Amino acid sequence: MMNPVIYVTRKIPEEVLQPYQNMFNFRMWDKEDVPVPRDVLLKEAATADGVLCLLTENIDREFFDYAKNLKIVANMAVGFDNIDVEAAREHGVVVTNTPDVLTETTADLTFALLMATARRIVEAADYIREDKWQYWAPYLLAGSDVHGKTIGIVGMGRIGEAVARRARGFGMSILYHNRSRQEKAEQELGAVYSDFTDLLQKADFVVSLVPLTEQTAKMFDRDAFNNMKSSAIFINVSRGGTVDEEALYDALAANEIQAAGLDVFANEPISSEHQLLELDNVVCLPHIGSASEATRTKMLELCLDNLKAVLNGEEAITPVK
Ligand code: DGY
């Protein structure tokens, strides 16, 4: 019998695929940094049993209509807003994501962005590179403290809890807002449940970790920024679509909030022309939340293990429900 055909939508290292070579017939888009063109994706999907895709692919109803043999789409991300899960269900295709393996790495990056923004790390490093450092001065590049402040975590899932653990180490008070109460985080981390507006009004750092859904789209809007303290720092490591970027720009430009640290944007990739990059009080990163070498490899392995399970007739390890 022929091995199942797996289409991998980006060039990934041979060593990662190697342990699966004898069970799958891999086909792969041959570029590492450029997404597969739509027409190629649809053509490949038409004959694949499984697809390993990235968040750059729009896995919509049209895709599923083409994919006649498809049994599983393994998304190399914990977020799955790039996938029409309803259409997948109707077509009998299992969708999987990569929770857990990226939790700590993404929490590290969240905290790095929070600290970089509060302590103006990027501006300060550029200050030397641009040869501006002449003398030490009392308030030269003075930023905000992190220790002892209040963090407001919006979206208290696994990554939110991991961020809360780091915040605890910095002696921060922890507020959170979530669809449901998280008793474990309350008991073990001292996190205090708060309604959204209350959190915005009280937090020194507002951290967005909510998945992008119809309910969370642009939830950080003009009202949300108006509700924040003028000293507040906004951090987004979830999806750019949770933020009204015009409203964020206006709030930052008018110093209605102090700064923002952003790993994600409404339309990625952004260029150096993006309006938010005009501002000094913004640190922007190219969606690298889970980007440690070890974690990216674990994410790929989890995708491959999900493909293996489903194509062997077993339950997926991390199905999207
Ligand atoms: C995810 O997993 O959803 C991230 O955005 C990429 O790691």
Side-chain angles (χ1 to χ4, degrees), residues 91-107:
H91 286 76
V93 178
V94 175
V95 176
T96 63
N97 65 343
T98 58
D100 301 320
V101 291
L102 50 63
T103 298
E104 300 298 332
T105 302
T106 308

Side-chain angles (χ1 to χ4, degrees), residues 10 30 83 89 92-93 96 103 154 164 171 174 177 197 235-236 245 282 309-310 314:
R10 200 67 70 87
D30 61 357
I83 300 182
R89 202 167 289 134
V93 178
T96 63
T103 298
V154 182
I174 303 165
H177 180 72
T197 306
I235 305 293
N236 190 8
E245 286 180 350
V282 181
V310 171
E314 294 159 19

Side-chain angles (χ1 to χ4, degrees), residues 55 76-79 98 102 238-239 287 290 296 299:
L55 50 79
M76 188 203 169
V78 67
T98 58
L102 50 63
S238 62
R239 286 293 182 268
H287 203 148
S290 61
R296 288 286 163 91
M299 291 164 73

